[in-house]
Amino acid sequence: MRVHSGRGAYMRSLAHDLGEALGCGGYLSELVRLRSGPFHADSTVSVDRLEEMAQDGSDSWKETISPPDFVLLHLKSVGVTKAAERYIRNGQPTSLSPRISVYASYMEMCRAYTEDGRFLAVMTFDKPTNLWHPDKV
């Protein structure tokens, strides 16, 4: 049986409830998560295979690993200045581009990138102070 569910769904409870409805009892003998967010089971690579790829001398293993910001691509992004980058790296709130702040809602999140395009942090907007707070750097 395949189930497409949202967060918080309990497959073991579903099996139990189906068994009760059928009058025969039900339980899981196996549970395989085929997808979680943007990650799919058909695009996975075993650790052993990754080690083999790393030892063959080529950089092919790099193509199989998702960048750290892959799961955050649904968030808006903003480039930050060197000055703002220093504040963010020190965990201090800072103002960001008016282009992103003017339309931001309270507690909205965004991805911040350095001037050379490297992923830097996840930021949260505090509308009363008009500042962005680094959540994860």
Side-chain angles (χ1 to χ4, degrees):
M1 180 170 134
R2 286 182 181 247
V3 176
H4 183 277
S5 67
R7 300 171 90 177
Y10 293 99
M11 294 302 111
R12 288 175 180 83
S13 294
L14 177 61
H16 176 270
D17 292 347
L18 285 172
E20 290 292 311
L22 294 170
C24 62
Y27 68 96
L28 292 181
S29 62
E30 183 177 354
L31 176 63
V32 177
R33 185 181 305 255
L34 298 175
R35 179 177 160 217
S36 181
F39 299 103
H40 297 268
D42 57 357
S43 62
T44 61
V45 176
S46 71
V47 174
D48 291 338
R49 176 66 185 128
L50 195 57
E51 287 176 347
E52 288 173 15
M53 294 168 78
Q55 291 173 359
D56 74 6
S58 72
D59 287 341
S60 62
W61 65 271
K62 291 179 181 178
E63 296 172 14
T64 63
I65 297 177
S66 301
D69 58 342
F70 178 71
V71 296
L72 305 169
L73 295 178
H74 64 284
L75 298 176
K76 293 177 185 175
S77 67
V78 64
V80 300
T81 63
K82 291 240 184 249
E85 181 182 347
R86 279 191 299 277
Y87 280 106
I88 294 167
R89 287 193 184 279
N90 289 317
Q92 298 173 318
T94 187
S95 58
L96 296 180
S97 164
R99 176 182 59 84
I100 195 166
S101 296
V102 72
Y103 297 109
S105 59
Y106 181 64
M107 299 302 287
E108 183 172 343
M109 299 175 89
C110 78
R111 295 173 285 136
Y113 293 86
T114 62
E115 287 181 348
D116 62 355
R118 289 178 293 121
F119 177 56
L120 176 64
V122 176
M123 309 287 289
T124 301
F125 187 59
D126 181 30
K127 199 155 187 87
T129 63
N130 205 34
L131 294 174
W132 289 86
H133 295 262
D135 284 331
K136 300 289 182 194
V137 180

